[in-house]
Structure formats: C-alpha cells, structure tokens
C-alpha cells in the first residue's frame, strides 16, 4: 500500500510539474517556458521522487544515491556526466549561485570530504536522494540547513 501511495504522489507531482514546465516556469528574469534538455533533466529527476536512497545505488526506480540521481537525469537529456559528486562539482560549468535554473545541479558540503548534489526543478526546489528520508524527494534550497552547506551550482547544459 505504501508503494502505491508513493507512486500516486509521484504522479501528482509530475502532473503539476508538467503544467508548470509547460507554461510558467520562467524565473522572472526573462526566461521562457522550460524546454529542451533542461526540461528533460527536470522531468527525469522528478520521475524518481519516492525511489529509495541506496548508498552507491545506480538503479532508477529501485535505488539511487544523490550523484546517481543527477547522472541519471542528465543522461536522460543525452548528456553524460561524471558518476560521483566531487567529480561532478569539479567538471561542471559554474553558474550564478544565487539563481540556479531548473536543470542545474546544486552542490553541498555535508561534512569535510562528503558532498551532496541535487537537481533544481524550479526557482526554489531541488530533487535529491535524501539520506535522512531514505528516498528521492524535493527540498527547498533557501532553508537554513541547505544554505549553511551550499557550495554553489553548476551545469553541463548550454
């Protein structure tokens, strides 16, 4: 029953996200509706909401860790990126840390030598494989917890 409930929540989030992405995903900075690879990255990340967190996990729908989620989302858009978060951070093109766009990757330092990543889905929220909730979920970037650990944002998109 829990699995069915989680999948219904995922379906509802995807439906709501599709309507947002289709028409009003602009950030107020002159962006038009989200299209192309950015849309593909966001939809792929959202499709994994509810997937269990598994350390080292690389199986969409069955178990992912944070960097496998970002790798999966970019792969769905036809872009290959490194597997682990530290390599993703090193290789990504830096973007304005104050205004990451949907599809950008946000990077956090949880403790020395341990990074965490997620995919921005709109101007405030990001999808990530949460160790504390043991599943892929949405979080808000501008909360004190995430802001205290925020390294910046990057992308592999144009």
């Amino acid at each position: 029953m829990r699995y069915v409930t989680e999948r219904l929540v995922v379906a509802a989030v995807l439906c709501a996200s599709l309507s947002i992405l289709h028409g009003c995903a602009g950030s107020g900075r002159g962006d038009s509706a989200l299209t192309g690879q950015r849309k593909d990255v966001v939809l792929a990340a959202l499709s994994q909401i509810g997937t269990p967190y598994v350390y080292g996990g690389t199986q969409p729908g069955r178990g992912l860790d944070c960097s496998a989620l970002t790798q999966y989302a970019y792969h769905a858009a036809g872009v290959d990126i490194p597997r682990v978060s530290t390599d993703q951070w090193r290789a990504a093109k830096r973007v304005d840390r104050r205004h990451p766009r949907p599809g950008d990757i946000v990077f956090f330092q949880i403790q020395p030598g341990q990074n965490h990543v997620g995919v921005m889905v709109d101007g405030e929220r990001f999808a990530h494989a949460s160790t504390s909730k043991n599943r892929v979920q949405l979080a808000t970037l501008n909360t004190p917890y995430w802001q205290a650990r925020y390294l910046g944002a990057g992308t592999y998109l144009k």
Side-chain angles (χ1 to χ4, degrees):
M1 184 64 163
R2 181 173 174 227
Y3 177 78
V4 172
T5 303
E6 286 179 356
R7 290 300 163 193
L8 289 174
V9 170
V10 170
V13 168
L14 285 173
C15 287
S17 298
L18 282 173
S19 64
I20 290 168
L21 294 174
H22 192 35
C24 58
S27 67
R29 297 186 316 264
D31 295 343
S32 60
L34 192 58
T35 61
Q37 287 182 311
R38 286 190 179 277
K39 181 177 181 179
D40 293 342
V41 168
V42 169
L43 290 176
L46 288 172
S47 76
Q48 296 306 303
I49 300 291
T51 295
Y53 170 84
V54 174
Y55 179 78
T58 59
Q59 297 180 330
R62 302 192 81 188
L64 294 170
D65 66 15
C66 65
S67 57
L69 173 65
T70 54
Q71 185 183 45
Y72 167 77
Y74 268 76
H75 182 76
V79 179
D80 290 325
I81 69 171
R83 167 63 184 95
V84 297
S85 60
T86 52
D87 292 340
Q88 289 176 5
W89 171 245
R90 276 193 286 272
K93 175 183 156 196
R94 297 294 180 267
V95 299
D96 183 349
R97 68 177 276 119
R98 293 167 298 159
H99 302 288
R101 295 172 56 199
D104 289 344
I105 301 174
V106 285
F107 296 89
F108 306 91
Q109 186 169 26
I110 304 305
Q111 50 186 264
Q114 182 183 2
N115 288 358
H116 185 68
V117 294
V119 175
M120 289 300 296
V121 299
D122 59 27
E124 299 175 11
R125 298 172 303 161
F126 64 98
H128 69 116
S130 172
T131 58
S132 66
K133 299 294 184 183
N134 291 316
R135 62 184 168 85
V136 176
Q137 66 171 28
L138 292 175
T140 304
L141 183 60
N142 292 323
T143 62
Y145 178 85
W146 292 114
Q147 282 298 301
R149 293 157 179 81
Y150 188 46
L151 291 173
T155 193
Y156 291 86
L157 304 172
K158 294 178 181 169

